[in-house]
Amino acid sequence: MESKPLPRPQVSRTAAKQATRALVIRTASRAMRRDGIAATGVAAVMAKAGLTHGGFYAHFASKDALAAAAIDAAFAESSRRIARRVEGLAPAAALAAWIELYVTTSHRDDRSRGCALTALGSEASRGGDAMPAALARGMAQLTDRLADWLAAIDDPAPAATAGAMLAEAVGAITLARVLGATAASDALLTATRASLRRRAGIPA
Amino acid sequence: MESKPLPRPQVSRTAAKQATRALVIRTASRAMRRDGIAATGVAAVMAKAGLTHGGFYAHFASKDALAAAAIDAAFAESSRRIARRVEGLAPAAALAAWIELYVTTSHRDDRSRGCALTALGSEASRGGDAMPAALARGMAQLTDRLADWLAAIDDPAPAATAGAMLAEAVGAITLARVLGATAASDALLTATRASLRRRAGIPA
DNA sequence: GCTTTCATATGATCACTATCATATGAAACG
DNA sequence: CGTTTCATATGATAGTGATCATATGAAAGC
């Protein structure tokens, strides 16, 4: 009954399973950032991934576990995007590039591919343990990156500056989304970009 | 059947109804800021207000309408709190007082009485029309207030600075909540206060 | 005092949700 | 080729949500 004959787990089967798992996570990551976690149903995610809801619990222990994985995936995606954008740039230029990538109307308008901190920070930090932990990991990764650049341009307190800059960027996208695609919203983003550039010691 | 004899609406009855309406809104405002809009059920709000769920639709057309009213109430509450705090202060001191009121661990830790922009900005800006409109109203009121103070201390672009400062404050609370009540979180708030003070031209 | 009005309560509906039990069908293995 | 394994599908279940229909009981008006 509880014996474990254990014929040893296969590998190629497992690989296929991991692939669909990754697909479900990617799908959920988009949907949750766009509609929120609560508003994103498990069945809807599975359907959008081309599956049915039945197999879900073979992949995840709970919806919260999926959400945590979705947050991790969102940060991984963002991280890749940043890396691609700053490749080969000097620290000051990298900071400027990050600002131009983050504080933009397209980030405001495309929630599904945006930063998990702005999209899910509020909702995810209320629930469970796994979700806030995933957010905190991604946030630390991002502030570390900013702090490295800031240290390289002789900022006196790179970690503190990085945190405050990220706060400003996150808040700007949040507020810009509140205002929608309006002139006031655009102006807020423009003002924030200027403010961040100034703080990063970038003239222009 | 469809005639309207119309004996004229009474007044004192109406006053009582408005009182319970206000109570329901206040209750919802707290609950929604703490748990989010989706996670706050209509029946739960009514129960917490000492009523049953039945009468709800005599007061509000929908849950969204309640949420919009709850957002308005949250801003009204915050506005009163700010007014009380800055009463009689000169512009620079008022700005400093606002920073000390907003970017604090107690704001981070008490979601239910905090700013609606941080608590509900993300979620409410996704849905309907009424909720984002309420948020935008409250936000405009707040940025106007900050801009007035900034103009009085000769900031060259009060509106832009006000927007960027609010963004930083909102983002800081959001990120601090992600980190929970930790040393890193406290440090982020401290760094953000310093950053905001510097921006508002306050030495200290 | 009787009747009408209306704020709130009781109770139901219907959609949808997360979660789980079981079935199926193809790949892996002997 | 037959058997086993397991990833996914089919099909419950049980709860919860918003919303609405109707009942009730007290105050308002005559």
Side-chain angles (χ1 to χ4, degrees), chain A residues 49-65:
Chain A
L51 305 173
T52 61
H53 63 281
F56 181 81
Y57 289 88
H59 289 283
F60 306 97
S62 66
K63 184 188 174 179
D64 267 33

Side-chain angles (χ1 to χ4, degrees), chain B residues 98-182:
Chain B
W98 176 76
I99 293 166
E100 297 300 321
L101 180 66
Y102 199 106
V103 188
T104 55
T105 55
S106 48
H107 188 189
R108 174 194 67 196
D109 297 334
D110 186 6
R111 288 174 150 89
S112 69
R113 254 173 282 251
C115 177
L117 284 168
T118 46
L120 304 176
S122 193
E123 183 177 9
S125 65
R126 281 192 265 249
D129 285 321
M131 286 157 42
L135 279 176
R137 271 196 303 277
M139 176 182 160
Q141 193 187 323
L142 191 45
T143 48
D144 283 355
R145 203 196 286 257
L146 294 177
D148 280 351
W149 292 330
L150 287 164
I153 61 172
D154 298 320
D155 186 282
T161 306
M165 284 182 70
L166 182 60
E168 186 168 358
V170 164
I173 295 298
T174 301
L175 296 184
R177 283 178 179 164
V178 164
L179 297 177
T182 62

Side-chain angles (χ1 to χ4, degrees), chain A residues 175-195:
Chain A
L175 296 184
R177 284 178 179 164
V178 164
L179 297 178
T182 62
S185 179
D186 293 359
L188 176 74
L189 293 176
T190 302
T192 303
R193 276 197 305 273
S195 161

Side-chain angles (χ1 to χ4, degrees), chain A residues 10 12-13 41-42 53 57 63:
Chain A
Q10 292 82 357
S12 75
R13 198 84 131 204
V42 166
H53 63 281
Y57 289 88
K63 184 188 174 179

Side-chain angles (χ1 to χ4, degrees), chain A residues 43-136:
Chain A
V45 169
M46 294 297 278
K48 200 162 250 177
L51 305 173
T52 61
H53 63 281
F56 181 81
Y57 289 88
H59 289 283
F60 306 97
S62 66
K63 184 188 174 179
D64 267 33
L66 169 64
I71 289 170
D72 281 332
F75 278 114
E77 183 190 322
S78 299
S79 180
R80 274 195 304 275
R81 197 183 338 241
I82 294 171
R84 226 178 301 128
R85 190 67 103 83
V86 305
E87 202 174 17
L89 294 182
L95 273 170
W98 176 75
I99 294 167
E100 298 300 321
L101 179 65
Y102 199 105
V103 189
T104 55
T105 55
S106 48
H107 188 189
R108 174 194 69 195
D109 297 333
D110 186 6
R111 287 174 150 91
S112 70
R113 253 173 282 250
C115 177
L117 284 168
T118 47
L120 304 176
S122 196
E123 183 177 9
S125 66
R126 281 193 265 250
D129 285 322
M131 286 158 41
L135 279 176

Side-chain angles (χ1 to χ4, degrees), chain A residues 113-162:
Chain A
R113 253 173 282 250
C115 177
L117 284 168
T118 47
L120 304 176
S122 196
E123 183 177 9
S125 66
R126 281 193 265 250
D129 285 322
M131 286 158 41
L135 279 176
R137 271 196 304 277
M139 177 182 159
Q141 193 188 323
L142 191 45
T143 49
D144 284 354
R145 202 196 287 254
L146 294 178
D148 280 351
W149 292 330
L150 287 163
I153 61 172
D154 299 318
D155 186 283
T161 305

